[in-house]
């Protein structure tokens, strides 16, 4: 069992610390235990210098180790090996986001074709707006016909397009010119991912820089393609978020209720679970089982989706997923895909918790698989919720510990909500930026990583940026950290610098805005484009930055790269596995600035990271002729 001091070093939060201690007492193996078992890591892998892409190898490249291991069997050197590995890493992330987007698209098409009654269009105005934006003539078309036409247009974006993905037209012309000049204009989403696999096959693209540029193109196809489609189509089907109150941390679990945690990324399953849990007949069954009700709470990004649109409380982020089950109060964890640790099946097995998977793409041996489709989702959701009700009767009260009181938060800041708060135009934000009341805008996004103290960099970086009058937009697992720290309430304006505090108070908004899940980083891209277009600038001219302080996933790498390729300076708390190549490392930290007007910075200290970001914002402000 970890000692008290060690536990405090793992996470700053009371709920996490208590559950790590409980897991220790109850013999539950956690992510930190496994990290310890895996440490020290292989230094070749850490540096991106291993290759197992063909069976002439596997090879370990030692660029400085004399001729013997300088090259892989095929002759690839360290730079090429690192580039190939990184290219595939980014493509996997782009594929994950974009395949999530495709599921939303298939649901939209099913609505259009009249093949589902479980799903419909909740935001008809947004459907019309996006159709019109993308050149679909809506006059005379029914809602279903519009849905079908939009789905067909987006399906094209996934294919063999040789022109650009539809939403890339949102980017400023100057940005699109850069993409065209550098061969990075994103074409079909699947095309870019497949081409990356092709290029990195042995004997295809042997130029590390060329591979990195294609990685940027692949990432752009995610940001302006797959992720943006996922966000916009989710809004059309499930409603565009508007400010909503909710709660966060493990205290959102209810001792007297059936607790169901939704985990993963897509709202397709979680929205149905929520709807089923609100049905009177199902609630009656829960009462019969002795429960006061059914409590749905979120984990990770499907939690963010439900929180943004429905105000459903958040139980926790990535490093809290095992710990949520350790409370002994969770009847079911129901998942779709991405960021679901396979260990959850084992942790659930230590309690009465049912672990249910729902997608044929994401099966978990030892769990229960219930396949959800657009034509059976409501029925399957009812079945799943009733299974959780039954599990409630087998809960062991002696094992239940709900460790803290929940924190209140405000969520739901879609771009529509932000622009709405500004009176329908970006002008007030541009004016506040120009006047230096808001000195800049930074997106703090992404995951947790057990190599770093849980949420420590998220919280301390955001605190420092706020003090410096920098507005923070948060997505993904970072949002939970912000909520637990109290930053997602308007009262947190008291912790901001005078200028930002004044703007927040005038608008009644927090200094950290919850803007969604990880695909919703596309909202931030879009907002940057709206600001740049309005001001007649490129995105790289704006005093904006991004940060993924505790990232771990391939998806986060794709996000970071599409941010940089879109002109947004991006801080990472940990480096990707590229340090084995000084050429790729200096391209990431410096060279990309010459290509895209933005580059990466790596820094694990929150205050140092704030300093780097602030320096960049100052430089952008001065270049615009604004005060630093
Ligand atoms: S869930 S990708 S740990 S943000 Fe989107 Fe959280 Fe990162 Fe997964």
């Amino acid at each position: 069992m970890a000692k008290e001091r060690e536990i405090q070093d793992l996470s700053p939060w009371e709920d996490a610390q208590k559950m790590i201690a409980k897991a220790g007492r109850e013999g539950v193996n956690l992510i930190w235990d496994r990290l310890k078992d895996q440490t020290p890591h292989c230094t070749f892998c850490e540096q991106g210098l291993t290759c197992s892409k063909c069976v002439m190898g596997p090879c370990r490249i030692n660029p400085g180790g004399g001729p013997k291991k300088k090259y892989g069997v095929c002759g690839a050197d360290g730079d090429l090996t690192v580039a190939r590995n990184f290219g595939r890493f980014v493509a996997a992330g782009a594929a994950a986001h974009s395949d999530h987007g495709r599921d939303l698209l298939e649901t939209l098409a099913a609505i259009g074709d009249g093949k589902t009654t479980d799903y419909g269009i909740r935001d008809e105005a947004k459907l019309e707006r996006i159709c019109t934006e993308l050149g679909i003539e809506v006059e005379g078309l029914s809602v279903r016909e519009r849905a079908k036409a939009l789905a067909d247009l987006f399906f094209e974006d996934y294919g063999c397009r040789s022109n650009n993905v539809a939403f890339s037209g949102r980017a400023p012309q100057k940005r699109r010119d850069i993409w065209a000049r550098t061969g990075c204009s994103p074409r079909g989403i699947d095309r870019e991912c497949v081409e990356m696999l092709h290029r990195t096959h042995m004997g295809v693209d042997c130029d590390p820089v060329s591979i990195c540029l294609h990685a940027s193109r692949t990432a752009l196809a995610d940001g302006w393609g797959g992720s943006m489609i996922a966000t916009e189509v989710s809004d059309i089907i499930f409603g565009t978020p508007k400010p909503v109150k909710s709660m966060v941390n493990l205290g959102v679990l209810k001792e007297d209720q059936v607790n169901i945690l939704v985990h993963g990324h897509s709202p397709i399953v979680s929205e149905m679970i929520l709807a089923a849990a609100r049905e009177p007949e199902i609630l009656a069954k829960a009462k019969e089982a002795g429960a006061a009700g059914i409590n749905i709470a979120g984990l990770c990004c499907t939690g963010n989706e439900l929180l943004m649109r429905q105000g459903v409380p958040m139980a926790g982020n990535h490093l809290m997923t095992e710990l949520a089950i350790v409370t002994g109060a969770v009847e079911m964890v129901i998942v779709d895909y991405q960021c679901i640790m396979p260990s959850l099946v084992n942790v659930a097995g230590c309690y009465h918790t049912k672990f249910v998977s729902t997608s044929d793409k994401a099966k978990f041996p030892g769990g229960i698989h219930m396949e959800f489709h657009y034509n059976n989702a409501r029925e399957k959701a009812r079945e799943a919720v009733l299974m959780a009700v039954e599990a409630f009767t087998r809960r062991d009260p002696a094992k239940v510990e709900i460790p803290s009181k929940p924190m209140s938060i405000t969520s739901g800041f879609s771009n529509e909500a932000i622009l709405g708060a500004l009176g329908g135009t970006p002008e007030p934000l541009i004016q506040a930026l120009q006047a230096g009341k808001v000195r800049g805008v930074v997106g703090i996004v992404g995951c947790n990583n057990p190599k770093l103290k849980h949420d420590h960099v998220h919280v301390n970086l955001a605190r420092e940026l706020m003090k410096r009058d920098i507005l923070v937009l948060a997505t993904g697992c970072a949002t939970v950290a912000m909520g637990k720290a109290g930053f997602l309430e308007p009262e947190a304006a008291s912790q901001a610098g005078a200028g930002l505090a004044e703007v927040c108070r005038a608008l009644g908004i927090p200094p950290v805005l919850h803007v969604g899940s990880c695909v919703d980083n596309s909202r931030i891209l879009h907002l940057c484009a709206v600001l740049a277009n309005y001001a007649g600038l490129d995105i790289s001219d704006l005093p904006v930055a991004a940060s993924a302080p505790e990232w771990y996933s391939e998806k986060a790498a794709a996000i970071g790269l599409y941010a940089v390729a879109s002109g947004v300076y991006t801080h990472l708390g940990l480096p990707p596995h590229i340090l084995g190549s000084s050429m790729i490392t200096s391209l990431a930290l410096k060279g990309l600035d010459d290509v895209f007007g933005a580059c990466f910075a790596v820094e694990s200290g929150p205050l140092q990271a704030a300093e780097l970001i602030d320096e960049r914002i100052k430089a952008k402000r001065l270049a615009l002729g604004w005060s630093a």
Side-chain angles (χ1 to χ4, degrees):
M1 193 208 309
K3 294 190 202 70
E4 200 179 322
R5 181 64 247 163
E6 281 174 30
I7 291 175
Q8 283 170 14
D9 290 342
L10 300 181
S11 175
W13 309 119
E14 181 192 22
D15 59 349
Q17 290 175 3
K18 285 188 173 168
M19 288 306 99
I20 295 169
K22 184 172 187 275
R25 291 195 301 276
E26 294 174 356
V28 181
N29 183 272
L30 297 174
I31 188 168
W32 293 279
D33 301 316
R34 298 188 297 274
L35 176 65
K36 214 174 196 174
D37 292 344
Q38 287 291 341
T39 308
H41 296 284
C42 164
T43 49
F44 285 96
C45 292
E46 260 179 344
Q47 295 181 85
L49 288 169
T50 44
C51 182
S52 57
K53 286 186 276 307
C54 84
V55 290
M56 295 191 289
C59 297
R60 291 179 305 172
I61 318 293
N62 187 354
K68 196 158 170 227
K69 283 198 170 168
K70 214 168 165 186
Y71 302 103
V73 177
C74 72
D77 63 7
D79 296 331
L80 179 55
T81 301
V82 167
R84 280 173 173 169
N85 288 337
F86 183 65
R88 287 194 170 200
F89 195 75
V90 168
H97 280 146
S98 301
D99 203 39
H100 160 177
R102 187 192 336 260
D103 285 343
L104 267 311
L105 204 45
E106 286 184 339
T107 306
L108 184 69
I111 295 168
D113 287 332
K115 287 187 183 160
T116 177
T117 50
D118 288 353
Y119 298 94
I121 303 294
R122 287 202 192 136
D123 193 340
E124 293 181 11
K126 182 154 188 173
L127 172 62
E128 180 174 336
R129 215 166 53 241
I130 302 246
C131 282
T132 307
E133 177 188 343
L134 299 180
I136 296 170
E137 184 50 69
V138 291
E139 203 54 43
L141 294 187
S142 67
V143 170
R144 269 184 41 196
E145 286 167 337
R146 291 173 184 183
K148 178 79 177 93
L150 187 60
D152 286 344
L153 184 147
F154 284 146
F155 279 133
E156 292 277 307
D157 269 7
Y158 277 83
C160 281
R161 262 187 192 281
S162 47
N163 51 340
N164 303 344
V165 293
F167 278 137
S168 64
R170 289 177 165 183
Q173 186 60 51
K174 287 181 191 165
R175 182 61 22 192
R176 283 181 273 151
D177 291 344
I178 291 173
W179 295 339
R181 217 170 38 242
T182 53
C184 289
S185 302
R187 304 161 298 176
I189 298 156
D190 293 349
R191 175 180 186 159
E192 305 306 3
C193 293
V194 169
E195 187 172 314
M196 178 53 82
L197 295 181
H198 180 195
R199 279 174 184 252
T200 51
H201 186 281
M202 204 296 279
V204 186
D205 198 347
C206 295
D207 178 348
V209 175
S210 166
I211 291 175
C212 288
L213 284 176
H214 188 72
S216 306
R217 183 178 223 175
T218 306
L220 286 168
D222 173 8
W224 297 88
S227 281
M228 207 168 272
I229 290 172
T231 294
E232 301 293 45
V233 174
S234 294
D235 283 359
I236 289 169
I237 298 175
F238 299 110
T240 303
K242 29 186 188 302
V244 62
K245 289 278 184 196
S246 191
M247 309 288 248
V248 68
N249 79 28
L250 289 184
V252 304
L253 297 173
K254 302 224 163 79
E255 196 154 355
D256 59 350
Q257 297 200 20
V258 176
N259 289 303
I260 300 176
L261 294 179
V262 291
H263 181 13
H265 281 77
S266 165
I268 292 176
V269 170
S270 50
E271 281 274 355
M272 276 302 140
I273 295 291
L274 182 67
R278 286 175 173 171
E279 286 184 20
E281 308 82 69
I282 292 189
L283 281 168
K285 294 273 184 206
K287 298 247 162 76
E288 272 171 38
I294 301 173
N295 180 37
I296 308 292
L299 291 170
C300 289
C301 281
T302 205
N304 278 316
E305 297 275 347
L306 280 194
L307 168 59
M308 284 281 283
R309 297 192 180 88
Q310 309 276 2
V312 164
M314 271 299 259
N317 53 9
H318 179 52
L319 283 184
M320 297 301 296
T321 57
E322 293 178 324
L323 301 180
I325 301 173
V326 173
T327 60
V330 175
E331 275 58 53
M332 177 175 287
V333 178
I334 185 158
V335 307
D336 47 80
Y337 37 61
Q338 299 169 18
C339 302
I340 299 145
M341 288 190 270
S343 65
L344 294 189
V345 176
N346 298 335
V347 181
C350 298
Y351 301 90
H352 69 299
T353 310
K354 301 273 187 198
F355 181 92
V356 177
S357 55
T358 59
S359 165
D360 65 343
K361 297 173 201 180
K363 294 186 177 172
F364 293 76
I368 299 162
H369 187 68
M370 296 174 72
E371 207 143 311
F372 278 55
H373 296 292
Y374 52 71
N375 48 12
N376 73 0
R378 190 64 177 251
E379 178 199 322
K380 288 284 165 196
R382 286 190 192 112
E383 222 178 283
V385 175
L386 287 174
M387 196 188 288
V389 168
E390 190 277 326
F392 179 81
T393 63
R394 288 180 298 99
R395 188 194 279 181
D396 179 356
K399 281 192 171 175
V400 173
E401 182 185 340
I402 297 177
S404 51
K405 294 265 171 282
M407 290 289 291
S408 67
I409 55 174
T410 306
S411 171
F413 290 97
S414 58
N415 288 345
E416 287 83 345
I418 294 173
L419 290 170
L422 295 169
T425 156
E427 178 63 27
L429 183 52
I430 298 278
Q431 276 177 14
L433 284 164
Q434 205 164 354
K437 287 186 179 172
V438 178
R439 293 182 48 252
V441 182
V442 173
I444 300 187
V445 310
C447 328
N448 298 131
N449 188 319
K451 290 178 174 173
L452 296 170
K453 183 174 179 175
H454 180 214
D455 290 343
H456 171 77
V457 196
H458 285 141
V459 168
N460 290 295
L461 174 60
R463 182 178 284 127
E464 196 56 32
L465 293 176
M466 278 193 279
K467 274 198 229 158
R468 300 171 186 224
D469 291 316
I470 294 169
L471 177 69
V472 174
L473 308 180
T475 64
C477 286
T479 60
V480 175
M482 304 300 165
K484 284 166 113 166
F487 298 163
L488 298 183
E489 284 292 36
E491 296 71 44
S494 62
Q495 298 183 53
L500 178 61
E502 185 191 322
V503 171
C504 289
R505 287 190 185 115
L507 298 173
I509 59 169
V512 178
L513 301 180
H514 182 303
V515 305
S517 62
C518 32
V519 294
D520 291 339
N521 287 310
S522 65
R523 293 192 202 276
I524 303 181
L525 272 190
H526 188 199
L527 186 63
C528 287
V530 167
L531 291 174
N533 285 327
Y534 188 83
L537 300 169
D538 190 3
I539 293 173
S540 59
D541 300 325
L542 297 171
V544 299
S547 170
E550 301 179 26
W551 74 285
Y552 87 89
S553 75
E554 293 157 321
K555 292 180 293 167
I559 293 168
L561 192 53
Y562 74 59
V564 165
S566 299
V568 180
Y569 175 77
T570 297
H571 157 254
L572 304 173
L574 292 159
H577 297 151
I578 62 168
L579 299 184
S581 164
S582 52
M583 179 211 262
I584 306 292
T585 304
S586 88
L587 184 67
L589 299 180
K590 201 163 168 291
L592 289 179
D593 228 347
D594 298 330
V595 183
F596 296 123
C599 60
F600 287 100
V602 178
E603 173 55 62
S604 59
L607 300 188
Q608 295 87 329
E611 198 55 46
L612 287 171
I613 290 170
D614 198 359
E615 277 306 313
R616 187 74 176 196
I617 282 176
K618 264 185 210 153
K620 293 292 168 187
R621 293 186 57 81
L622 290 172
L624 287 166
W626 301 348
S627 65

